[in-house]
Amino acid sequence: MQPHVTPPTLLRTPNFVVDAAAYILAAGRRAISERGLFRLGLAGGNTPKVIYSAMAADPVGLPWDKVQITFGDERCVPPDHADSNYRTAHQALLSLVPIPAGNVFRIRGEIEPDQAAAECESKLSAVASRFGEPRYVHDLLLLGLGEDGHTASLFPNSPALEEATRSVIPARGPKPPPQRVSFTFPLINASREIVFLVNDPSKESVIAEVLQGQHPAGRVQPVTGTITWIIGEK
Ligand code: 6PG
């Protein structure tokens, strides 16, 4: 099947945090209204932390018992480690909203990467089976962008870029810590909607290159879903 060719939507805003949080919550309300569940994949790194905090502080919020959280990638460190993407999301959002623990599909960074990846894969495929999906479908998958055009933990020249079968795999990269577990393009591209969150003017040139299909992030091409870029403007 040819990748979906709808061009990405670019939302440039001086109110990056407020607008990104509102966008995500609106997508959640839509998903829950249409399908009774919001399957949201969280981005790692530093950019989204303030967005997660804004989501937690939203007076309306979401029916969090109808939200399922996954992580686009995780560093292979314990969940209380400063580098843990789970720790970032837990501190900024998950510890502040009434989401059932079973709704959070944490990638266990503290165990062997192969085992952590297989465990996450198995959880996602169990849900996919329940929905009759060949592969887990995120309603919304949040992604960051590195200066080298990586996204999740899919770094340039990594063998992880060529994974065509598995949804979750161990991956290594130059950004410390090097050992990670990452979603793969087959899983990423199965999403209903993908949102890149970028709030760094120094990334403007790499955004332009990604929009031309370059770099690992340029291979994010949802089969039937859409891509939106929410880009902060100073
Ligand atoms: C990670 C992320 C990674 C991140 C980009 C941007 O675990 O490092 O998944 O893909 O999103 O490197 O990171 P910043 O938001 O910190 O610039």
Side-chain angles (χ1 to χ4, degrees), residues 123-138:
K123 283 184 180 177
L124 295 179
S125 59
V127 175
S129 302
R130 284 211 307 274
F131 282 91
E133 298 161 347
R135 195 183 297 273
Y136 186 94
V137 175
H138 286 89

Side-chain angles (χ1 to χ4, degrees), residues 110-184:
E110 68 274 26
I111 66 174
E112 273 303 303
D114 283 310
Q115 192 187 345
E119 185 180 79
C120 183
E121 177 107 26
S122 151
K123 283 184 180 177
L124 295 179
S125 59
V127 175
S129 302
R130 284 211 307 274
F131 282 91
E133 298 161 347
R135 195 183 297 273
Y136 186 94
V137 175
H138 286 89
D139 294 298
L140 176 58
L141 177 61
L142 305 176
L143 291 174
L145 179 68
E147 287 86 353
D148 60 358
H150 79 259
T151 193
S153 284
L154 300 170
F155 290 89
N157 310 311
S158 163
L161 302 180
E162 306 314 323
E163 177 61 41
T165 306
R166 290 174 291 172
S167 290
V168 191
I169 60 171
R172 294 185 64 82
K175 177 180 177 183
Q179 185 61 60
R180 292 140 172 265
V181 173
S182 181
F183 284 2
T184 61

Side-chain angles (χ1 to χ4, degrees), residues 44-48 73 75 85 144-146 150-152 175 180 203:
N46 298 316
T47 299
D73 68 334
R75 292 84 175 274
N85 286 333
L145 179 68
H150 79 259
T151 193
K175 177 180 177 183
R180 292 140 172 265
K203 293 180 180 176

